[in-house]
Amino acid sequence: MSSESKAAIAEALSEARERTLALVEPLDDAQLNRVYSPILSPLAWDLGHIANFEELWLVQTIGGREPLHGDLGRFYDAIENPRKIRGELPILRDEELRSYLGDVRERTLDVLEGMEIGADVEDPLLREGFVYEMLLAHELQHNETMLQLLQLVEGYEPGRGAGQLSPGQASGQLARRFEYPPVREMPRTPDAVVVEGGSYEIGAPAKGFAYDNERPRHAVEIAAFEIDRTPVSNGAYIQFMEETGAEPPLYWERDGDGWIDTARGRREPIDRERPVIHVSWEQADAFARWAGKRLPTEHEWEAARPHLDGLGHGWEWTSSDFVAYPGFEAFPYREYSEVFFGDEYKVLRGGSWATHPRVARPSFRNWDLPQRRQIFSGIRCARDA
Ligand code: AVJ
Ligand code: FE
């Protein structure tokens, strides 16, 4: 791989880091260390984990160097340390944490300098720069987890010092990294598109970066179905609640006759036109049934992807369990996907206002437990054609 693509990697890494730091810039150390919720990590853990993941894969595995803090890495292992105990771990905090992020990054760039990462490299970790793409995706995905937690911080607004967070200031995809509040103009067509039955190629192609769970790409027979052009709106969800007594989305509170959004300590009227977010799979499934429809399978979702409007506001729940594709091989580690396979987790597709475009591939599979609402998750309905 040419030095030019190395420069592109270094640039993408530094943009991701600016994004990470801009997110926490307005917060003090007490807020970074605070446990706001048993299902979300304290921000200090996410920050240390981002750096530790980078150190583990780049500096240690690829660079063959010793870690900076001995076996500290075990406290940043997401499987070994469930979210509800992360606040009590002897993790790095305050100044030490900031230095760790910077010191690891310096070593990463040093390792990158001496690396062969072309298409013909033997090591699949390095081929086409896989490990760097993984690192980037990892940091950007944790940005979204951090934003989930930041909804619990009173009065939170992302760092002003971060000029690149204002729409229009940066070029291309980075221009809309965050919008506060998240706004998407929704097309008002309530109609559905019919997707013809047939054989569809599902999953990521063999070349280019993707997670192991998106592979191998394989053909799936899909019967004809209809899928809504637009995600379910707040207004439609309110009607569903009124008619059935269903629970509101997370952060909604009653205010007189209406509803307000209380995320980040605000009290903003709910805009009926915008897609609903912060609903659980259970709520999404119940809504779809109430509407005389159903959730799409993840295969249907992927087959219909070229026709879909209103993407990028909320993740869209599917009816599918998070299971392996036929011929799945764990790479580069079992704990990214494989340990979650089974009927416990449901797949979400698409992406939310907090998802970086680099993460939101058509084949990308997100997953969470069916009762969870802290993610920026919405609903799109389908039905048999
Ligand atoms: C794909 C969002 C379910 O947060 O557990 C971050 C992403 N994996 N670090 C998660 C992830 C390892 C993952 N999700
Ligand atoms: Fe992680």
Side-chain angles (χ1 to χ4, degrees):
M1 195 172 257
S2 66
S3 57
E4 213 173 31
S5 14
K6 282 194 187 179
I9 290 173
E11 172 69 15
L13 286 172
S14 94
E15 278 169 4
R17 183 54 49 86
E18 279 173 38
R19 194 178 192 254
T20 303
L21 295 177
L23 277 180
V24 295
E25 198 251 336
L27 305 180
D28 58 31
D29 287 327
Q31 289 172 308
L32 293 182
N33 291 322
R34 182 166 157 193
V35 176
Y36 286 87
S37 155
I39 61 164
L40 287 164
S41 315
L43 291 160
W45 189 91
D46 274 284
L47 292 173
H49 167 85
I50 288 171
N52 186 255
F53 187 87
E54 176 166 335
E55 184 175 42
L56 178 65
W57 286 101
L58 255 296
V59 182
Q60 298 173 240
T61 307
I62 303 296
R65 304 196 194 176
E66 290 300 312
L68 288 164
H69 291 278
D71 70 351
L72 176 77
R74 67 197 176 92
F75 300 118
Y76 291 116
D77 183 315
I79 305 291
E80 294 302 318
N81 304 283
R83 291 194 174 91
K84 61 174 183 290
I85 63 144
R86 289 177 188 171
E88 298 146 32
L89 297 170
I91 54 173
L92 297 179
R93 296 173 197 277
D94 316 335
E95 250 339 287
E96 252 192 324
L97 172 57
R98 283 171 234 278
S99 316
Y100 182 53
L101 279 156
D103 292 345
V104 169
R105 178 50 57 87
E106 204 174 298
R107 293 172 145 222
T108 293
L109 294 176
D110 216 46
V111 172
L112 176 63
E113 194 73 15
M115 240 44 261
E116 259 309 322
I117 53 176
D120 46 4
V121 170
E122 192 93 33
D123 185 348
L125 260 187
L126 291 176
R127 199 182 303 141
E128 297 183 292
F130 179 92
V131 74
Y132 289 94
E133 294 283 348
M134 177 174 82
L135 202 66
L136 260 172
H138 184 254
E139 181 154 353
L140 296 172
Q141 283 172 262
H142 274 277
N143 286 174
E144 181 154 353
T145 325
M146 291 162 70
L147 277 159
Q148 291 168 18
L149 181 113
L150 289 165
Q151 303 312 304
L152 300 170
V153 178
E154 286 282 298
Y156 175 77
E157 295 291 338
R160 274 274 145 232
Q164 76 281 358
L165 292 189
S166 327
Q169 269 202 292
S171 62
Q173 56 168 234
L174 294 171
R176 344 168 317 209
R177 280 185 295 193
F178 295 108
E179 283 177 19
Y180 273 83
V183 179
R184 290 283 180 282
E185 278 309 315
M186 295 305 303
R188 292 201 187 193
T189 48
D191 44 295
V193 276
V194 177
V195 180
E196 277 174 40
S199 174
Y200 288 86
E201 290 293 320
I202 299 298
K207 266 177 100 60
F209 177 77
Y211 282 111
D212 54 4
N213 66 55
E214 297 164 60
R215 293 188 162 127
R217 190 168 165 87
H218 59 292
V220 174
E221 260 329 298
I222 300 176
F225 65 100
E226 277 181 34
I227 190 161
D228 286 354
R229 275 189 198 280
T230 57
V232 171
S233 67
N234 286 325
Y237 196 86
I238 288 171
Q239 199 191 338
F240 163 61
M241 289 195 295
E242 283 167 0
E243 286 185 25
T244 66
E247 289 292 308
L250 188 61
Y251 304 122
W252 283 28
E253 268 177 30
R254 266 245 171 255
D255 184 49
D257 287 345
W259 292 92
I260 51 165
D261 177 5
T262 67
R264 289 180 272 134
R266 296 161 313 162
R267 297 184 68 79
E268 271 185 17
I270 296 290
D271 180 342
R272 299 179 75 99
E273 300 298 321
R274 283 198 216 159
V276 67
I277 53 170
H278 289 303
V279 293
S280 68
W281 181 89
E282 288 154 0
Q283 291 172 317
D285 180 62
F287 177 94
R289 287 167 198 275
W290 169 80
K293 303 178 191 174
R294 59 173 173 80
L295 296 179
T297 67
E298 64 165 323
H299 296 145
E300 287 172 337
W301 193 97
E302 198 169 322
R305 172 74 173 64
H307 308 285
L308 298 184
D309 288 329
L311 285 170
H313 187 94
W315 289 95
E316 300 177 12
W317 285 111
T318 73
S319 61
S320 303
D321 294 337
F322 185 52
V323 295
Y325 287 167
F328 168 85
E329 281 178 58
F331 179 77
Y333 65 113
R334 286 189 64 243
E335 291 74 18
Y336 183 80
S337 315
E338 196 176 7
V339 299
F340 298 98
F341 285 155
D343 56 13
E344 227 191 321
Y345 292 88
K346 293 292 182 189
V347 173
L348 301 106
R349 292 301 200 107
S352 78
W353 62 271
T355 313
H356 192 282
R358 190 183 269 278
V359 173
R361 279 180 300 285
S363 59
F364 185 88
R365 306 168 77 196
N366 197 359
W367 66 90
D368 212 326
L369 297 170
Q371 70 275 21
R372 288 291 155 83
R373 301 183 298 171
Q374 86 289 356
I375 47 176
F376 307 105
S377 50
I379 315 168
R380 187 190 299 266
C381 296
R383 65 174 139 204
D384 300 347

